[in-house]
PDB file of all heavy atoms in Angstrom:
ATOM      1  N   TRP A  20       0.839  -1.204   0.000  1.00 77.00           N
ATOM      2  CA  TRP A  20       0.000   0.000   0.000  1.00 77.00           C
ATOM      3  C   TRP A  20       0.872   1.253   0.000  1.00 77.00           C
ATOM      4  O   TRP A  20       0.649   2.184  -0.787  1.00 77.00           O
ATOM      5  CB  TRP A  20      -0.909  -0.052   1.219  1.00 77.00           C
ATOM      6  CG  TRP A  20      -1.856   1.109   1.381  1.00 77.00           C
ATOM      7  CD1 TRP A  20      -2.018   2.171   0.530  1.00 77.00           C
ATOM      8  CD2 TRP A  20      -2.760   1.322   2.462  1.00 77.00           C
ATOM      9  NE1 TRP A  20      -2.971   3.025   1.021  1.00 77.00           N
ATOM     10  CE2 TRP A  20      -3.445   2.533   2.197  1.00 77.00           C
ATOM     11  CE3 TRP A  20      -3.056   0.603   3.618  1.00 77.00           C
ATOM     12  CZ2 TRP A  20      -4.398   3.039   3.068  1.00 77.00           C
ATOM     13  CZ3 TRP A  20      -4.020   1.107   4.474  1.00 77.00           C
ATOM     14  CH2 TRP A  20      -4.674   2.305   4.199  1.00 77.00           C
ATOM     15  N   HIS A  21       1.864   1.265   0.869  1.00 74.00           N
ATOM     16  CA  HIS A  21       2.759   2.429   0.969  1.00 74.00           C
ATOM     17  C   HIS A  21       3.540   2.640  -0.325  1.00 74.00           C
ATOM     18  O   HIS A  21       3.675   3.777  -0.809  1.00 74.00           O
ATOM     19  CB  HIS A  21       3.714   2.235   2.143  1.00 74.00           C
ATOM     20  CG  HIS A  21       4.497   3.458   2.490  1.00 74.00           C
ATOM     21  ND1 HIS A  21       4.030   4.448   3.327  1.00 74.00           N
ATOM     22  CD2 HIS A  21       5.736   3.868   2.086  1.00 74.00           C
ATOM     23  CE1 HIS A  21       4.921   5.398   3.442  1.00 74.00           C
ATOM     24  NE2 HIS A  21       5.978   5.075   2.702  1.00 74.00           N
ATOM     25  N   VAL A  22       4.036   1.562  -0.901  1.00 79.00           N
ATOM     26  CA  VAL A  22       4.817   1.671  -2.138  1.00 79.00           C
ATOM     27  C   VAL A  22       3.944   2.187  -3.276  1.00 79.00           C
ATOM     28  O   VAL A  22       4.362   3.059  -4.056  1.00 79.00           O
ATOM     29  CB  VAL A  22       5.443   0.311  -2.487  1.00 79.00           C
ATOM     30  CG1 VAL A  22       6.052   0.343  -3.898  1.00 79.00           C
ATOM     31  CG2 VAL A  22       6.522  -0.059  -1.474  1.00 79.00           C
ATOM     32  N   PHE A  23       2.726   1.653  -3.385  1.00 78.00           N
ATOM     33  CA  PHE A  23       1.837   2.089  -4.461  1.00 78.00           C
ATOM     34  C   PHE A  23       1.477   3.560  -4.297  1.00 78.00           C
ATOM     35  O   PHE A  23       1.410   4.317  -5.282  1.00 78.00           O
ATOM     36  CB  PHE A  23       0.573   1.229  -4.466  1.00 78.00           C
ATOM     37  CG  PHE A  23      -0.276   1.427  -5.685  1.00 78.00           C
ATOM     38  CD1 PHE A  23       0.012   0.783  -6.869  1.00 78.00           C
ATOM     39  CD2 PHE A  23      -1.374   2.290  -5.643  1.00 78.00           C
ATOM     40  CE1 PHE A  23      -0.774   0.970  -8.001  1.00 78.00           C
ATOM     41  CE2 PHE A  23      -2.167   2.485  -6.766  1.00 78.00           C
ATOM     42  CZ  PHE A  23      -1.865   1.823  -7.946  1.00 78.00           C
ATOM     43  N   ALA A  24       1.229   4.001  -3.058  1.00 75.00           N
ATOM     44  CA  ALA A  24       0.926   5.413  -2.819  1.00 75.00           C
ATOM     45  C   ALA A  24       2.144   6.278  -3.139  1.00 75.00           C
ATOM     46  O   ALA A  24       2.001   7.389  -3.668  1.00 75.00           O
ATOM     47  CB  ALA A  24       0.486   5.619  -1.373  1.00 75.00           C
ATOM     48  N   TRP A  25       3.333   5.779  -2.843  1.00 79.00           N
ATOM     49  CA  TRP A  25       4.563   6.538  -3.075  1.00 79.00           C
ATOM     50  C   TRP A  25       4.843   6.750  -4.558  1.00 79.00           C
ATOM     51  O   TRP A  25       5.448   7.744  -4.953  1.00 79.00           O
ATOM     52  CB  TRP A  25       5.732   5.784  -2.429  1.00 79.00           C
ATOM     53  CG  TRP A  25       7.063   6.440  -2.631  1.00 79.00           C
ATOM     54  CD1 TRP A  25       7.574   7.524  -1.998  1.00 79.00           C
ATOM     55  CD2 TRP A  25       8.066   6.018  -3.574  1.00 79.00           C
ATOM     56  NE1 TRP A  25       8.841   7.831  -2.468  1.00 79.00           N
ATOM     57  CE2 TRP A  25       9.156   6.910  -3.434  1.00 79.00           C
ATOM     58  CE3 TRP A  25       8.142   4.988  -4.491  1.00 79.00           C
ATOM     59  CZ2 TRP A  25      10.302   6.779  -4.200  1.00 79.00           C
ATOM     60  CZ3 TRP A  25       9.281   4.862  -5.260  1.00 79.00           C
ATOM     61  CH2 TRP A  25      10.360   5.755  -5.106  1.00 79.00           C
ATOM     62  N   THR A  26       4.381   5.831  -5.401  1.00 78.00           N
ATOM     63  CA  THR A  26       4.615   5.972  -6.842  1.00 78.00           C
ATOM     64  C   THR A  26       3.903   7.190  -7.417  1.00 78.00           C
ATOM     65  O   THR A  26       4.292   7.695  -8.481  1.00 78.00           O
ATOM     66  CB  THR A  26       4.134   4.720  -7.590  1.00 78.00           C
ATOM     67  OG1 THR A  26       2.723   4.546  -7.387  1.00 78.00           O
ATOM     68  CG2 THR A  26       4.877   3.483  -7.114  1.00 78.00           C
ATOM     69  N   GLY A  27       2.856   7.664  -6.748  1.00 75.00           N
ATOM     70  CA  GLY A  27       2.144   8.839  -7.227  1.00 75.00           C
ATOM     71  C   GLY A  27       1.289   8.589  -8.452  1.00 75.00           C
ATOM     72  O   GLY A  27       0.954   9.525  -9.183  1.00 75.00           O
ATOM     73  N   LEU A  28       0.926   7.333  -8.695  1.00 78.00           N
ATOM     74  CA  LEU A  28       0.089   7.013  -9.848  1.00 78.00           C
ATOM     75  C   LEU A  28      -1.263   7.723  -9.744  1.00 78.00           C
ATOM     76  O   LEU A  28      -1.832   8.142 -10.746  1.00 78.00           O
ATOM     77  CB  LEU A  28      -0.111   5.497  -9.944  1.00 78.00           C
ATOM     78  CG  LEU A  28      -0.872   4.974 -11.157  1.00 78.00           C
ATOM     79  CD1 LEU A  28      -0.133   5.318 -12.449  1.00 78.00           C
ATOM     80  CD2 LEU A  28      -1.082   3.453 -11.057  1.00 78.00           C
ATOM     81  N   TYR A  29      -1.764   7.847  -8.518  1.00 77.00           N
ATOM     82  CA  TYR A  29      -2.981   8.604  -8.261  1.00 77.00           C
ATOM     83  C   TYR A  29      -2.650   9.737  -7.304  1.00 77.00           C
ATOM     84  O   TYR A  29      -1.778   9.606  -6.441  1.00 77.00           O
ATOM     85  CB  TYR A  29      -4.059   7.710  -7.633  1.00 77.00           C
ATOM     86  CG  TYR A  29      -4.647   6.694  -8.584  1.00 77.00           C
ATOM     87  CD1 TYR A  29      -4.189   5.385  -8.575  1.00 77.00           C
ATOM     88  CD2 TYR A  29      -5.650   7.049  -9.478  1.00 77.00           C
ATOM     89  CE1 TYR A  29      -4.726   4.445  -9.446  1.00 77.00           C
ATOM     90  CE2 TYR A  29      -6.199   6.125 -10.341  1.00 77.00           C
ATOM     91  CZ  TYR A  29      -5.729   4.820 -10.324  1.00 77.00           C
ATOM     92  OH  TYR A  29      -6.257   3.900 -11.190  1.00 77.00           O
ATOM     93  N   PRO A  30      -3.358  10.873  -7.429  1.00 76.00           N
ATOM     94  CA  PRO A  30      -3.151  11.962  -6.462  1.00 76.00           C
ATOM     95  C   PRO A  30      -3.476  11.492  -5.046  1.00 76.00           C
ATOM     96  O   PRO A  30      -4.261  10.570  -4.844  1.00 76.00           O
ATOM     97  CB  PRO A  30      -4.139  13.045  -6.925  1.00 76.00           C
ATOM     98  CG  PRO A  30      -4.449  12.716  -8.339  1.00 76.00           C
ATOM     99  CD  PRO A  30      -4.347  11.234  -8.472  1.00 76.00           C
ATOM    100  N   ARG A  31      -2.887  12.174  -4.090  1.00 74.00           N
ATOM    101  CA  ARG A  31      -3.046  11.758  -2.701  1.00 74.00           C
ATOM    102  C   ARG A  31      -4.493  11.835  -2.235  1.00 74.00           C
ATOM    103  O   ARG A  31      -4.928  11.038  -1.403  1.00 74.00           O
ATOM    104  CB  ARG A  31      -2.150  12.618  -1.799  1.00 74.00           C
ATOM    105  CG  ARG A  31      -2.029  12.101  -0.377  1.00 74.00           C
ATOM    106  CD  ARG A  31      -0.829  12.710   0.302  1.00 74.00           C
ATOM    107  NE  ARG A  31      -0.648  12.176   1.647  1.00 74.00           N
ATOM    108  CZ  ARG A  31       0.460  12.363   2.369  1.00 74.00           C
ATOM    109  NH1 ARG A  31       1.477  13.053   1.863  1.00 74.00           N
ATOM    110  NH2 ARG A  31       0.546  11.856   3.585  1.00 74.00           N
ATOM    111  N   TYR A  32      -5.254  12.772  -2.786  1.00 74.00           N
ATOM    112  CA  TYR A  32      -6.645  12.888  -2.352  1.00 74.00           C
ATOM    113  C   TYR A  32      -7.508  11.760  -2.910  1.00 74.00           C
ATOM    114  O   TYR A  32      -8.621  11.518  -2.422  1.00 74.00           O
ATOM    115  CB  TYR A  32      -7.226  14.252  -2.747  1.00 74.00           C
ATOM    116  CG  TYR A  32      -7.484  14.437  -4.228  1.00 74.00           C
ATOM    117  CD1 TYR A  32      -8.729  14.124  -4.774  1.00 74.00           C
ATOM    118  CD2 TYR A  32      -6.490  14.935  -5.064  1.00 74.00           C
ATOM    119  CE1 TYR A  32      -8.974  14.301  -6.128  1.00 74.00           C
ATOM    120  CE2 TYR A  32      -6.728  15.109  -6.415  1.00 74.00           C
ATOM    121  CZ  TYR A  32      -7.967  14.793  -6.944  1.00 74.00           C
ATOM    122  OH  TYR A  32      -8.186  14.973  -8.286  1.00 74.00           O
ATOM    123  N   LEU A  33      -7.014  11.056  -3.945  1.00 76.00           N
ATOM    124  CA  LEU A  33      -7.730   9.908  -4.486  1.00 76.00           C
ATOM    125  C   LEU A  33      -7.235   8.584  -3.909  1.00 76.00           C
ATOM    126  O   LEU A  33      -8.024   7.648  -3.740  1.00 76.00           O
ATOM    127  CB  LEU A  33      -7.596   9.870  -6.017  1.00 76.00           C
ATOM    128  CG  LEU A  33      -8.343  10.942  -6.802  1.00 76.00           C
ATOM    129  CD1 LEU A  33      -8.112  10.769  -8.295  1.00 76.00           C
ATOM    130  CD2 LEU A  33      -9.834  10.894  -6.491  1.00 76.00           C
ATOM    131  N   PHE A  34      -5.949   8.524  -3.634  1.00 78.00           N
ATOM    132  CA  PHE A  34      -5.364   7.304  -3.066  1.00 78.00           C
ATOM    133  C   PHE A  34      -4.513   7.698  -1.856  1.00 78.00           C
ATOM    134  O   PHE A  34      -3.326   7.970  -1.976  1.00 78.00           O
ATOM    135  CB  PHE A  34      -4.502   6.570  -4.100  1.00 78.00           C
ATOM    136  CG  PHE A  34      -4.144   5.170  -3.687  1.00 78.00           C
ATOM    137  CD1 PHE A  34      -4.971   4.105  -4.012  1.00 78.00           C
ATOM    138  CD2 PHE A  34      -2.991   4.907  -2.964  1.00 78.00           C
ATOM    139  CE1 PHE A  34      -4.643   2.813  -3.647  1.00 78.00           C
ATOM    140  CE2 PHE A  34      -2.660   3.623  -2.583  1.00 78.00           C
ATOM    141  CZ  PHE A  34      -3.488   2.568  -2.927  1.00 78.00           C
ATOM    142  N   PRO A  35      -5.128   7.756  -0.673  1.00 81.00           N
ATOM    143  CA  PRO A  35      -4.413   8.263   0.508  1.00 81.00           C
ATOM    144  C   PRO A  35      -3.338   7.305   0.986  1.00 81.00           C
ATOM    145  O   PRO A  35      -3.391   6.098   0.740  1.00 81.00           O
ATOM    146  CB  PRO A  35      -5.537   8.389   1.546  1.00 81.00           C
ATOM    147  CG  PRO A  35      -6.554   7.394   1.130  1.00 81.00           C
ATOM    148  CD  PRO A  35      -6.516   7.375  -0.368  1.00 81.00           C
ATOM    149  N   TRP A  36      -2.356   7.870   1.686  1.00 76.00           N
ATOM    150  CA  TRP A  36      -1.309   7.077   2.307  1.00 76.00           C
ATOM    151  C   TRP A  36      -1.871   6.418   3.569  1.00 76.00           C
ATOM    152  O   TRP A  36      -2.876   6.869   4.129  1.00 76.00           O
ATOM    153  CB  TRP A  36      -0.121   7.967   2.674  1.00 76.00           C
ATOM    154  CG  TRP A  36       0.640   8.472   1.484  1.00 76.00           C
ATOM    155  CD1 TRP A  36       0.132   9.180   0.428  1.00 76.00           C
ATOM    156  CD2 TRP A  36       2.033   8.326   1.247  1.00 76.00           C
ATOM    157  NE1 TRP A  36       1.122   9.483  -0.458  1.00 76.00           N
ATOM    158  CE2 TRP A  36       2.306   8.978   0.016  1.00 76.00           C
ATOM    159  CE3 TRP A  36       3.087   7.742   1.935  1.00 76.00           C
ATOM    160  CZ2 TRP A  36       3.581   9.025  -0.530  1.00 76.00           C
ATOM    161  CZ3 TRP A  36       4.359   7.788   1.394  1.00 76.00           C
ATOM    162  CH2 TRP A  36       4.607   8.415   0.181  1.00 76.00           C
ATOM    163  N   PRO A  37      -1.220   5.355   4.051  1.00 78.00           N
ATOM    164  CA  PRO A  37      -1.668   4.734   5.302  1.00 78.00           C
ATOM    165  C   PRO A  37      -1.754   5.719   6.466  1.00 78.00           C
ATOM    166  O   PRO A  37      -2.669   5.650   7.287  1.00 78.00           O
ATOM    167  CB  PRO A  37      -0.614   3.647   5.560  1.00 78.00           C
ATOM    168  CG  PRO A  37      -0.093   3.305   4.203  1.00 78.00           C
ATOM    169  CD  PRO A  37      -0.123   4.581   3.419  1.00 78.00           C
ATOM    170  N   GLY A  38      -0.807   6.662   6.510  1.00 78.00           N
ATOM    171  CA  GLY A  38      -0.821   7.659   7.574  1.00 78.00           C
ATOM    172  C   GLY A  38      -2.058   8.538   7.519  1.00 78.00           C
ATOM    173  O   GLY A  38      -2.595   8.956   8.558  1.00 78.00           O
ATOM    174  N   ASP A  39      -2.534   8.856   6.304  1.00 77.00           N
ATOM    175  CA  ASP A  39      -3.747   9.664   6.162  1.00 77.00           C
ATOM    176  C   ASP A  39      -4.964   8.930   6.722  1.00 77.00           C
ATOM    177  O   ASP A  39      -5.836   9.530   7.364  1.00 77.00           O
ATOM    178  CB  ASP A  39      -3.983  10.000   4.689  1.00 77.00           C
ATOM    179  CG  ASP A  39      -2.839  10.801   4.088  1.00 77.00           C
ATOM    180  OD1 ASP A  39      -2.162  11.522   4.861  1.00 77.00           O
ATOM    181  OD2 ASP A  39      -2.612  10.693   2.870  1.00 77.00           O
ATOM    182  N   VAL A  40      -5.010   7.628   6.467  1.00 82.00           N
ATOM    183  CA  VAL A  40      -6.128   6.823   6.963  1.00 82.00           C
ATOM    184  C   VAL A  40      -6.092   6.759   8.482  1.00 82.00           C
ATOM    185  O   VAL A  40      -7.123   6.895   9.159  1.00 82.00           O
ATOM    186  CB  VAL A  40      -6.084   5.411   6.352  1.00 82.00           C
ATOM    187  CG1 VAL A  40      -7.173   4.522   6.948  1.00 82.00           C
ATOM    188  CG2 VAL A  40      -6.228   5.491   4.838  1.00 82.00           C
ATOM    189  N   LEU A  41      -4.908   6.546   9.041  1.00 84.00           N
ATOM    190  CA  LEU A  41      -4.778   6.503  10.497  1.00 84.00           C
ATOM    191  C   LEU A  41      -5.161   7.837  11.127  1.00 84.00           C
ATOM    192  O   LEU A  41      -5.778   7.876  12.197  1.00 84.00           O
ATOM    193  CB  LEU A  41      -3.349   6.124  10.880  1.00 84.00           C
ATOM    194  CG  LEU A  41      -2.937   4.680  10.617  1.00 84.00           C
ATOM    195  CD1 LEU A  41      -1.471   4.470  10.969  1.00 84.00           C
ATOM    196  CD2 LEU A  41      -3.807   3.719  11.425  1.00 84.00           C
ATOM    197  N   GLN A  42      -4.809   8.936  10.459  1.00 80.00           N
ATOM    198  CA  GLN A  42      -5.162  10.257  10.990  1.00 80.00           C
ATOM    199  C   GLN A  42      -6.678  10.448  10.988  1.00 80.00           C
ATOM    200  O   GLN A  42      -7.254  10.952  11.966  1.00 80.00           O
ATOM    201  CB  GLN A  42      -4.499  11.345  10.150  1.00 80.00           C
ATOM    202  CG  GLN A  42      -4.772  12.758  10.659  1.00 80.00           C
ATOM    203  CD  GLN A  42      -4.067  13.806   9.825  1.00 80.00           C
ATOM    204  OE1 GLN A  42      -3.378  13.499   8.860  1.00 80.00           O
ATOM    205  NE2 GLN A  42      -4.230  15.068  10.206  1.00 80.00           N
ATOM    206  N   SER A  43      -7.346  10.063   9.915  1.00 81.00           N
ATOM    207  CA  SER A  43      -8.811  10.169   9.853  1.00 81.00           C
ATOM    208  C   SER A  43      -9.455   9.304  10.918  1.00 81.00           C
ATOM    209  O   SER A  43     -10.415   9.717  11.589  1.00 81.00           O
ATOM    210  CB  SER A  43      -9.313   9.751   8.465  1.00 81.00           C
ATOM    211  OG  SER A  43      -8.818  10.610   7.470  1.00 81.00           O
ATOM    212  N   LEU A  44      -8.927   8.100  11.090  1.00 81.00           N
ATOM    213  CA  LEU A  44      -9.466   7.192  12.101  1.00 81.00           C
ATOM    214  C   LEU A  44      -9.270   7.752  13.499  1.00 81.00           C
ATOM    215  O   LEU A  44     -10.173   7.686  14.349  1.00 81.00           O
ATOM    216  CB  LEU A  44      -8.783   5.826  11.969  1.00 81.00           C
ATOM    217  CG  LEU A  44      -9.359   4.675  12.792  1.00 81.00           C
ATOM    218  CD1 LEU A  44     -10.799   4.414  12.402  1.00 81.00           C
ATOM    219  CD2 LEU A  44      -8.517   3.420  12.586  1.00 81.00           C
ATOM    220  N   SER A  45      -8.098   8.340  13.745  1.00 82.00           N
ATOM    221  CA  SER A  45      -7.812   8.924  15.053  1.00 82.00           C
ATOM    222  C   SER A  45      -8.734  10.101  15.353  1.00 82.00           C
ATOM    223  O   SER A  45      -9.219  10.250  16.483  1.00 82.00           O
ATOM    224  CB  SER A  45      -6.350   9.374  15.105  1.00 82.00           C
ATOM    225  OG  SER A  45      -6.060  10.021  16.316  1.00 82.00           O
ATOM    226  N   GLN A  46      -9.014  10.908  14.347  1.00 79.00           N
ATOM    227  CA  GLN A  46      -9.908  12.043  14.556  1.00 79.00           C
ATOM    228  C   GLN A  46     -11.322  11.584  14.906  1.00 79.00           C
ATOM    229  O   GLN A  46     -11.963  12.150  15.795  1.00 79.00           O
ATOM    230  CB  GLN A  46      -9.940  12.907  13.288  1.00 79.00           C
ATOM    231  CG  GLN A  46      -8.654  13.684  13.031  1.00 79.00           C
ATOM    232  CD  GLN A  46      -8.697  14.456  11.729  1.00 79.00           C
ATOM    233  OE1 GLN A  46      -9.622  14.285  10.932  1.00 79.00           O
ATOM    234  NE2 GLN A  46      -7.689  15.293  11.488  1.00 79.00           N
ATOM    235  N   GLN A  47     -11.792  10.566  14.212  1.00 79.00           N
ATOM    236  CA  GLN A  47     -13.129  10.046  14.499  1.00 79.00           C
ATOM    237  C   GLN A  47     -13.206   9.461  15.904  1.00 79.00           C
ATOM    238  O   GLN A  47     -14.209   9.634  16.609  1.00 79.00           O
ATOM    239  CB  GLN A  47     -13.498   8.977  13.459  1.00 79.00           C
ATOM    240  CG  GLN A  47     -13.670   9.508  12.049  1.00 79.00           C
ATOM    241  CD  GLN A  47     -14.880  10.407  11.924  1.00 79.00           C
ATOM    242  OE1 GLN A  47     -15.976  10.063  12.350  1.00 79.00           O
ATOM    243  NE2 GLN A  47     -14.689  11.571  11.323  1.00 79.00           N
ATOM    244  N   LEU A  48     -12.162   8.768  16.306  1.00 82.00           N
ATOM    245  CA  LEU A  48     -12.137   8.200  17.653  1.00 82.00           C
ATOM    246  C   LEU A  48     -12.085   9.295  18.707  1.00 82.00           C
ATOM    247  O   LEU A  48     -12.773   9.223  19.735  1.00 82.00           O
ATOM    248  CB  LEU A  48     -10.932   7.266  17.803  1.00 82.00           C
ATOM    249  CG  LEU A  48     -11.023   5.913  17.082  1.00 82.00           C
ATOM    250  CD1 LEU A  48      -9.682   5.196  17.125  1.00 82.00           C
ATOM    251  CD2 LEU A  48     -12.102   5.049  17.731  1.00 82.00           C
ATOM    252  N   HIS A  49     -11.276  10.309  18.467  1.00 81.00           N
ATOM    253  CA  HIS A  49     -11.121  11.403  19.434  1.00 81.00           C
ATOM    254  C   HIS A  49     -12.422  12.178  19.596  1.00 81.00           C
ATOM    255  O   HIS A  49     -12.775  12.606  20.712  1.00 81.00           O
ATOM    256  CB  HIS A  49     -10.000  12.341  18.982  1.00 81.00           C
ATOM    257  CG  HIS A  49      -9.704  13.434  19.970  1.00 81.00           C
ATOM    258  ND1 HIS A  49     -10.244  14.697  19.854  1.00 81.00           N
ATOM    259  CD2 HIS A  49      -8.944  13.443  21.104  1.00 81.00           C
ATOM    260  CE1 HIS A  49      -9.832  15.444  20.856  1.00 81.00           C
ATOM    261  NE2 HIS A  49      -9.029  14.719  21.627  1.00 81.00           N
ATOM    262  N   GLN A  50     -13.161  12.348  18.509  1.00 81.00           N
ATOM    263  CA  GLN A  50     -14.421  13.080  18.570  1.00 81.00           C
ATOM    264  C   GLN A  50     -15.566  12.227  19.118  1.00 81.00           C
ATOM    265  O   GLN A  50     -16.638  12.757  19.396  1.00 81.00           O
ATOM    266  CB  GLN A  50     -14.789  13.587  17.171  1.00 81.00           C
ATOM    267  CG  GLN A  50     -13.798  14.605  16.619  1.00 81.00           C
ATOM    268  CD  GLN A  50     -14.058  14.920  15.152  1.00 81.00           C
ATOM    269  OE1 GLN A  50     -14.999  14.392  14.550  1.00 81.00           O
ATOM    270  NE2 GLN A  50     -13.230  15.785  14.572  1.00 81.00           N
ATOM    271  N   GLY A  51     -15.341  10.931  19.242  1.00 77.00           N
ATOM    272  CA  GLY A  51     -16.380  10.030  19.735  1.00 77.00           C
ATOM    273  C   GLY A  51     -17.422   9.663  18.704  1.00 77.00           C
ATOM    274  O   GLY A  51     -18.411   8.987  19.033  1.00 77.00           O
ATOM    275  N   VAL A  52     -17.235  10.088  17.457  1.00 82.00           N
ATOM    276  CA  VAL A  52     -18.229   9.840  16.400  1.00 82.00           C
ATOM    277  C   VAL A  52     -18.180   8.385  15.950  1.00 82.00           C
ATOM    278  O   VAL A  52     -19.226   7.761  15.711  1.00 82.00           O
ATOM    279  CB  VAL A  52     -17.985  10.784  15.203  1.00 82.00           C
ATOM    280  CG1 VAL A  52     -18.954  10.486  14.067  1.00 82.00           C
ATOM    281  CG2 VAL A  52     -18.110  12.228  15.647  1.00 82.00           C
ATOM    282  N   LEU A  53     -16.980   7.835  15.839  1.00 85.00           N
ATOM    283  CA  LEU A  53     -16.835   6.477  15.328  1.00 85.00           C
ATOM    284  C   LEU A  53     -17.546   5.465  16.226  1.00 85.00           C
ATOM    285  O   LEU A  53     -18.208   4.548  15.738  1.00 85.00           O
ATOM    286  CB  LEU A  53     -15.355   6.124  15.183  1.00 85.00           C
ATOM    287  CG  LEU A  53     -15.048   4.753  14.578  1.00 85.00           C
ATOM    288  CD1 LEU A  53     -15.629   4.651  13.172  1.00 85.00           C
ATOM    289  CD2 LEU A  53     -13.547   4.495  14.558  1.00 85.00           C
ATOM    290  N   GLY A  54     -17.410   5.624  17.523  1.00 86.00           N
ATOM    291  CA  GLY A  54     -18.069   4.707  18.444  1.00 86.00           C
ATOM    292  C   GLY A  54     -19.577   4.722  18.292  1.00 86.00           C
ATOM    293  O   GLY A  54     -20.236   3.676  18.371  1.00 86.00           O
ATOM    294  N   GLU A  55     -20.143   5.919  18.051  1.00 87.00           N
ATOM    295  CA  GLU A  55     -21.590   6.017  17.857  1.00 87.00           C
ATOM    296  C   GLU A  55     -22.024   5.313  16.581  1.00 87.00           C
ATOM    297  O   GLU A  55     -23.034   4.591  16.567  1.00 87.00           O
ATOM    298  CB  GLU A  55     -21.996   7.491  17.807  1.00 87.00           C
ATOM    299  CG  GLU A  55     -21.762   8.240  19.114  1.00 87.00           C
ATOM    300  CD  GLU A  55     -22.102   9.714  18.999  1.00 87.00           C
ATOM    301  OE1 GLU A  55     -22.553  10.117  17.891  1.00 87.00           O
ATOM    302  OE2 GLU A  55     -21.935  10.456  19.986  1.00 87.00           O
TER     303      GLU A  55
END
């Protein structure tokens, strides 16, 4: 996943890096929305 994202075949907003996904997940958890 990281290697494919690093190649830049797709823009980052279309194919996010693993770190972007973890950041989105962390924000949802911190806000308490994901649990709901």
Side-chain angles (χ1 to χ4, degrees):
W20 180 3
H21 191 86
V22 170
F23 191 82
W25 178 77
T26 61
L28 185 62
Y29 289 98
R31 191 162 183 168
Y32 71 92
L33 289 180
F34 194 89
W36 290 56
D39 299 333
V40 175
L41 289 177
Q42 182 178 0
S43 297
L44 189 61
S45 176
Q46 289 177 351
Q47 293 292 311
L48 287 171
H49 184 263
Q50 296 171 1
V52 177
L53 183 60
E55 295 177 2

